[in-house]
Amino acid sequence: MSHIKIELRKEDVDFIKGVCATFNNDPQELINVLHTCQEHFGYLPAEIQEVVSDGLNMPVAKIYGVVTFYSFFTMTPKGKHPISICLGTACYVRGAEKVLDEFKKELGIQVGESTKDSKFSLSSLRCVGACGLAPVVLVGDKTYGRVAPDDVKNILKEYE
Amino acid sequence: METIKLTIDNKEVDVPGGTTIYKAAKELGIDIPTLCYMELHDMNIENKPAGCRICVAEVSGRRNLAPTCSTKCESGMVVKTHTPRVLNARRTVMEFILSDHPKDCLICSKSGTCELQAMAHRLGIKDIPGAEYAAVSTYRKDTSPSIIRDLDKCIMCRRCEMMCNEVQTVGAISAVNRGFMATVAPAFEQNLEHSTCTYCGQCVSVCPTGALTEVNHVPQVLRALVDPSKTVVVQTAPAVRAALGEEFGLAPGTLVTGKMTAALRALGFDYVFDTDFAADLTIMEEGTELLDRLSRHLKGDTTAKIPILTSCCPGWVNFFEEYFPDLKNVPSTAKSPQQMFGAIAKTYFADKIGINRKDMVVVSIMPCLAKKYECQREEFSTDGNPDVDFSISTRELASFIKQANIDIKNLQDEEFDSPLGESTGAGVIFGATGGVIEAACRTAFELYTGKKLERLDFTELRGMDGVRSATIDFDGLPLNIGIAHGLGNARKLLDDVRSGKSQFHAIEVMACPGGCIGGGGQPLHHGNSEVIKARATAIYTEDRKKPLRKSHENPFIIKLYEEFLGKPGSEKSHHLLHTHYFDKKKKIIIKK
């Protein structure tokens, strides 16, 4: 009855089915399956959730419920260089919001969005456990500490 | 099992280990208020997400208040359910819930039967401090052919989610998002119409607020009634007469067949007919199909699919089209009684009274919300004119009767009109789980054996167990019958059919727990299965009172075949009374 047309490539469907099989097609392993799929595809669009639903034999509504519950999971594609700004208490009181505003201005996107060329995406998170370096910014796996709004241009330049 | 002794509100109580405080309090006659908790006794299913936090109480040795619905009793526990601290907390929680709830109670379709409204009254809430500053979460309203979702009114009790997932195993809806935007929705927050929803309406029947309600077709029916160019014909399903009275304060299980007929006539319907007539007709067609398939099967014909599955229930049809499309040739091809009635009314009866089908409006009164969808299915219309124009629920009919100032309780009993109002007891029992197959057995036995059936009450087919089975002796041929009510139970039997393990010759399935008497369009029973049992008793009482109790003895059915259809399974019967099913399972489309 769904009006969603799933248009994944055959190898993508095979990959997702393979992941489900690795976890014994057990619905209890949903979060592990979603983690592996997100790691591979970068995000979890409806199409992928439909295949997982088939693979784990569980309602896609339940899967969507889990995807929307955990902030780690995303249904929009991340950029090649995902930027995360910590808005935890320590970073926040040391001006993280101004840093975030600068990223928004420079990239022309909001939190949760990607740039048109898919190069950068912007997200916020709550504490990465490096409060001594507040405010903290992550670009991919790289960590930047004591970031000021003026540093934003230079950080982005590294990825030109 | 060990027994635990505890004290609740200064009263001592002994309960088995594992009992919750909420249930222990019930033992003492203490009714702790709750908005989300719901127990479905006969199904062993409980909804206790501990989400509403209305049921909190003080528990000795515990710092915070405990949600009693999900806190287990411990030996020596001292529980207090109405201290100032508890009452304050309960009030505050209620105020929070109400601050994010629309205040249009006067015009809400649940007004009067809303549990949230009743709770506000019970807790004495007269004011919501700070409501003018409180944010209110809003959602897109979703209207499907049967059900309206107005999630602004959702309080996240998640009872609907329990019905859809645990009881029905349909999985159309789930709790999604978090925090303020949390709600219950289909995947990707699509409309219900694009989900796996079967329109069984069990979510509607447990929703405490106006978040889930039926699509109201009373205005369209009223317009048809006042249109002088239309002949308006009404049919009433068996389960309606056993429950309608509840909406007027009568005890569950009060039969109001005659008063309902009088009320429908007073509303202005030109012909007051009975779906029970079409139920008798269904037995003729389905019974014949059963005997045909069975005898071919016994002769070794492998193309004869056994078991045969009943097909009266539109929620069930939607379910197997979505989940078991590979078995779509297994159910009987017989249309449901609602649709058989429409097909006969707009051909045979329209001819009889000399009018064009376009000038006839067929209205059905159903205990069901899926019937609204069913009558809109394309295959059930001729040149765009549907066989059944509008299907309204028992609840909608009650509202209609109230609007029309009809004092139904004091009406004199009246009879249905002839010929499409004449029925046997076999037609009546369609309303309860096991009834269709019992009715089929009464007729199939006599047709198969050529002998008179001495014992009409197949009590072994009755009852409330979710999955039942019985073997009926067809004069030496043991006929294995399976029965399931509730789609989760149906799934169990279907899995066996799919894997080839099923030993049944015939299976009856009803989507709703209890059968049609527990349908999604019935007066709200608030999870109380005693109400459903009382309705079942009423149905079997009506059956016993009928002079004729076998479908093939209905003289008007015999006449219908003589004058119009020929014989059961004839070409004309097939054209008018049978249907086919579709594969509605989602397809995974692979991009090349």
Side-chain angles (χ1 to χ4, degrees), chain B residues 8 19-27 30-34 37-39 46 55 67-71 73:
Chain B
I8 306 176
T19 307
T20 61
I21 298 175
Y22 179 85
K23 280 194 173 177
K26 271 259 152 80
E27 293 282 306
I30 299 166
D31 181 25
I32 301 175
T34 172
Y37 179 79
M38 180 170 252
E39 183 178 16
E46 264 187 299
C55 74
T68 56
C69 72
S70 57
T71 307
C73 295

Side-chain angles (χ1 to χ4, degrees), chain A residues 1, chain B residues 146-147 168-170 172 195-202 310-324 331 336-339 366-375 377 380 484-488 490-491 494 509-513 515-516 519-520 581-582 584:
Chain A
M1 284 188 192
Chain B
S146 297
I147 296 167
Q168 302 295 59
T169 67
V170 167
S195 75
T196 56
C197 178
T198 64
Y199 302 128
C200 72
Q202 286 299 311
T310 59
S311 55
C312 314
C313 169
W316 154 235
V317 169
N318 291 340
F319 183 75
F320 73 69
E321 287 185 328
E322 170 74 35
Y323 288 100
F324 295 90
S336 71
Q338 166 177 280
Q339 294 308 136
M366 292 284 147
C368 178
L369 301 187
K371 289 282 175 198
K372 289 177 186 285
Y373 165 79
E374 184 189 43
C375 73
R377 287 176 80 125
F380 296 145
H485 58 125
L487 291 170
R491 183 187 285 277
L494 260 282
V509 178
M510 292 294 151
C512 291
C516 307
Y581 307 109
F582 301 88
K584 291 190 175 165

Side-chain angles (χ1 to χ4, degrees), chain B residues 471-519:
Chain B
T471 302
I472 308 287
D473 178 16
F474 266 43
D475 203 21
L477 171 72
L479 200 68
N480 299 328
I481 307 284
I483 295 164
H485 58 125
L487 291 170
N489 293 320
R491 183 187 285 277
K492 292 176 200 157
L493 293 186
L494 260 282
D495 281 338
D496 282 353
V497 173
R498 182 181 264 166
S499 64
K501 281 195 295 193
S502 182
Q503 297 298 316
F504 295 119
H505 296 107
I507 296 175
E508 179 203 288
V509 178
M510 292 294 151
C512 291
C516 307
I517 48 173

Side-chain angles (χ1 to χ4, degrees), chain B residues 14 19 79 96 103 128 176 189 196 405 418 455 473 497 579:
Chain B
D14 295 316
T19 307
V79 179
F96 275 131
K103 316 290 186 292
I128 307 163
V176 304
E189 288 154 78
T196 56
N405 320 318
S418 193
R455 186 177 64 101
D473 178 16
V497 173
T579 184

